Amino acid sequence: MIAFPLSEAISACQGMYVGDAALLGRPVTDICIDSRKAAPGALYVPIIGAVHDGHAFIDGARRNGALCVLTDRPLEAEPYILVPDTLEALQLLAKHYREKFSIPVIGITGSVGKTSTKEMLDTVLSGRYRTFKTPGNLNNQTGVPLTLFQLGPEHTLAIIEMGTNHPGEIRRLSAMVQPTICVLTNVGVAHIEFFGTRENIFRGKAEMLEHMRPGGTVVVNGDDDMLIRLPGAVRFGFQAHNSVRAADEEDQGLDGSAFTVCCGDQQLRMHVPAPGRHMIYNALCAVAVGLTLGMPLEQLQKGVESFRPTAGRMHIQKTARFTVLDDTYNANPTSVMAAIDVLERTPGRHVCVLGDMLELGAQADEFHEVVGMYAAMHGVELIVCVGPCSEQMFLGAHTLAPHRVRYFESQEMLLSILPLLLRDGDTILVKGSRGMHLERTVELLETL
C-alpha cells in the first residue's frame, strides 16, 4: 500500500475528525476491517455484519496500535473519524486510493468462471506486466476495497474480480475499481434467487460499464446470447462473428485442449493444459485482453500454455487408487454440467460427488433435478448426491438410472459410507457450492 496522510483519509471518506490535530500529518500505512490485523499506522474500519458489529472491537484495534478508527457513532475515546456509514466510508477510501494509479485495471464479472478467468489473465499477462490480482475470492463489497488497498507502486497492471448476488452491487464495486478494461464472462442463473430473471442478471453485470474509464474497452463472451447485445465490445468465442475465435478444437481429455486462435488475418495453434471447453473460453478471453493491450499473439500463446489450475478449480489429483477432479470451489447448473462433460471424457469408472447448488431461488428444485438427469444421461456410473437441496438431484438421476445413484443428507453421512462405494481406478468428480465445504471429501479421497 502507498501510505498517505490521515488528513487525506478523512477528506476521502467525507468524515469528521475528533482528536489531536498533531496526528493529521501521520501516514496511514494500512486499512483493515479486522481488529486483530490492526498495527501501528493502520486505519481500522468497523463493519456491521450479520453476526458481529465491528464497533465492538475498536478497543482491540487501538490496543494493537491502530493510528485511528472510523465509527458511525460518537466515541468516548479519541481519536476517531465520524462517518454516517462505515462500509460506504471504506468504499470511498478505496475509490480514492485506486485513483492514485494510472495503470491498466481489468474488471471481471460474470455468472460463471470469474476466478478461473482471473487466474488465466494473470498467467498470460504476466508475460509483459507486473500483475496484481484479487487474492482468493475477495470480490464482494468489503473484499474489493481490501483488494484495492493491496495495490502497490510495483504493480503495472491489476486484475480485479467483482461478484454480485443483488442488483446494484456491481455498480458500487465498479465505482471503486474504475476499470479500463471490462470483462464479462457470461450470463447464467447463479444468484437468480435475488435477481429474479436472467435479464436482470445481465443488467446487474452490465452495471460495470457505467464506471469504465473514458477510452476503455469491453471484452465479452460473444457466444453468450445476452452479452452479444453490448455494442462496441471485443468478442471472443467459437462462433464466426467473434473477433477472437477458436477453431479446430481438439479435446485431449485431462491434458486439456488444442485449438487454433483466429483474430483478423492472424492464426496460431495453442494448447490450454486444463480440461474442459470452458477453459478454451478463458484462454480466448486472455488472448482478447492481451491483444487489446498490444501484446503479440506468440507471447500470449506462451502464457496460455503455461497456465495451471489451482486447488478447487478442476484441479486434477492422482492418488494411489483414484483420479480426483477437485472442482469444489463453487457450483451452479452451468458449471456442474460442464464439469460432468469433462468427467465423461476421462478413463476409468466415472463417479461424481455432487453437493447443493445454492442461491437458485424458486427454481432450485428444477435446476437440481435437471443436473441429476444430466449426470445420468451422460453415463456417470455412480452419482452421489449430498445435501438437503440435492435430494432433487438424486430424484432426477433416479428416474433415469435408479441403480447408479445414492443420496446422503449430510457430508458427515457421506464420508462414512463413500469408501465402501469406490473402486480402484475410479475417476471421481467432486463439485458443490462453496458453502458445502466438499473439500473435506477431497481430503478423504486423498487418504484412501
Side-chain angles (χ1 to χ4, degrees):
M1 180 178 177
I2 301 173
F4 56 92
L6 180 61
S7 59
E8 188 178 323
I10 296 166
S11 175
C13 70
Q14 301 172 15
M16 182 181 74
Y17 178 67
V18 179
D20 184 355
L23 295 178
L24 294 176
R26 294 272 296 275
V28 175
T29 57
D30 187 25
I31 298 175
C32 63
I33 64 172
D34 185 339
S35 63
R36 296 167 297 183
K37 296 181 180 179
L43 178 60
Y44 172 65
V45 183
I47 301 298
I48 301 174
V51 178
H52 298 293
D53 181 347
H55 289 79
F57 305 101
I58 285 177
D59 288 345
R62 284 179 166 147
R63 285 194 298 270
N64 288 334
L67 171 65
C68 194
V69 301
L70 268 69
T71 175
D72 66 6
R73 65 207 68 167
L75 302 176
E76 292 183 4
E78 301 175 358
Y80 63 86
I81 303 169
L82 184 63
V83 294
D85 183 297
T86 54
L87 176 59
E88 182 180 352
L90 178 74
Q91 295 175 346
L92 287 170
L93 283 165
K95 179 178 184 295
H96 174 79
Y97 186 75
R98 187 274 182 250
E99 289 169 350
K100 294 179 180 291
F101 296 85
S102 58
I103 63 176
V105 175
I106 302 167
I108 305 175
T109 193
S111 296
V112 183
K114 293 184 294 297
T115 301
S116 57
T117 301
K118 174 194 71 179
E119 297 296 334
M120 178 70 77
L121 282 165
D122 179 57
T123 300
V124 172
L125 301 181
S126 62
R128 169 174 289 185
Y129 295 92
R130 295 191 301 276
T131 59
F132 170 79
K133 64 180 179 180
T134 298
N137 62 341
L138 290 177
N139 63 7
N140 62 10
Q141 299 296 313
T142 55
V144 167
L146 294 177
T147 293
L148 289 171
F149 294 135
Q150 295 181 51
L151 268 173
E154 69 275 19
H155 300 122
T156 59
L157 180 142
I159 307 164
I160 309 297
E161 180 181 336
M162 290 180 273
T164 178
N165 54 20
H166 286 86
E169 289 183 333
I170 292 295
R171 181 176 293 112
R172 294 180 70 183
L173 297 178
S174 57
M176 292 179 274
V177 174
Q178 303 169 56
T180 56
I181 298 176
C182 294
V183 171
L184 290 89
T185 61
N186 45 55
V187 178
V189 295
H191 310 302
I192 200 168
E193 175 181 6
F194 306 110
F195 283 92
T197 66
R198 243 185 109 226
E199 177 68 30
N200 288 340
I201 294 173
F202 166 68
R203 292 174 182 169
K205 304 298 183 187
E207 290 170 2
M208 179 167 58
L209 278 58
E210 298 173 17
H211 293 284
M212 182 174 68
R213 287 202 164 177
T217 303
V218 181
V219 178
V220 304
N221 179 343
D223 293 349
D224 187 284
D225 62 324
M226 293 205 168
L227 295 180
I228 197 174
R229 291 154 47 182
L230 294 174
V234 176
R235 298 170 180 165
F236 62 87
F238 287 83
Q239 298 175 19
H241 62 258
N242 292 298
S243 51
V244 177
R245 179 173 60 88
D248 304 323
E249 172 191 2
E250 179 190 346
D251 180 10
Q252 298 176 349
L254 295 181
D255 292 328
S257 302
F259 56 98
T260 299
V261 171
C262 308
C263 45
D265 57 359
Q266 296 186 83
Q267 292 191 6
L268 189 63
R269 195 73 177 164
M270 294 190 184
H271 171 257
V272 57
R277 204 168 196 243
H278 59 287
M279 292 306 305
I280 298 180
Y281 277 107
N282 294 344
L284 291 173
C285 177
V287 169
V289 171
L291 291 172
T292 297
L293 292 167
M295 295 177 66
L297 195 57
E298 291 76 12
Q299 188 177 27
L300 298 171
Q301 175 197 43
K302 291 179 181 177
V304 167
E305 296 186 347
S306 66
F307 175 80
R308 294 294 181 272
T310 55
R313 301 174 184 91
M314 196 51 74
H315 181 64
I316 301 166
Q317 302 184 60
K318 293 186 180 293
T319 74
R321 297 181 58 196
F322 313 122
T323 299
V324 181
L325 311 184
D326 174 8
D327 207 21
T328 55
Y329 180 75
N330 219 334
N332 57 62
T334 302
S335 65
V336 174
M337 289 188 284
I340 291 170
D341 290 343
V342 172
L343 177 66
E344 185 180 20
R345 297 190 292 270
T346 61
R349 189 179 71 139
H350 297 157
V351 177
C352 61
V353 178
L354 303 178
D356 291 354
M357 302 176 292
L358 305 178
E359 298 184 358
L360 294 178
Q363 297 174 275
D365 285 353
E366 178 183 349
F367 284 132
H368 281 86
E369 182 179 7
V370 167
V371 165
M373 295 176 71
Y374 192 87
M377 291 169 60
H378 285 253
V380 180
E381 284 93 339
L382 176 60
I383 305 164
V384 179
C385 308
V386 57
C389 298
S390 293
E391 185 173 6
Q392 289 299 130
M393 193 185 297
F394 164 79
L395 294 174
H398 192 269
T399 59
L400 299 178
H403 302 298
R404 291 190 275 131
V405 60
R406 302 288 186 274
Y407 173 67
F408 298 90
E409 186 175 356
S410 69
Q411 187 170 202
E412 286 69 25
M413 297 172 61
L414 165 70
L415 295 177
S416 63
I417 301 296
L418 184 59
L420 304 177
L421 303 176
L422 301 176
R423 304 173 187 168
D424 288 353
D426 283 349
T427 299
I428 307 165
L429 166 68
V430 186
K431 189 165 182 64
S433 278
R434 193 76 196 94
M436 292 299 294
H437 302 289
L438 289 183
E439 63 273 11
R440 292 174 54 201
T441 296
V442 173
E443 290 168 2
L444 171 68
L445 295 173
E446 293 171 346
T447 67
L448 295 180

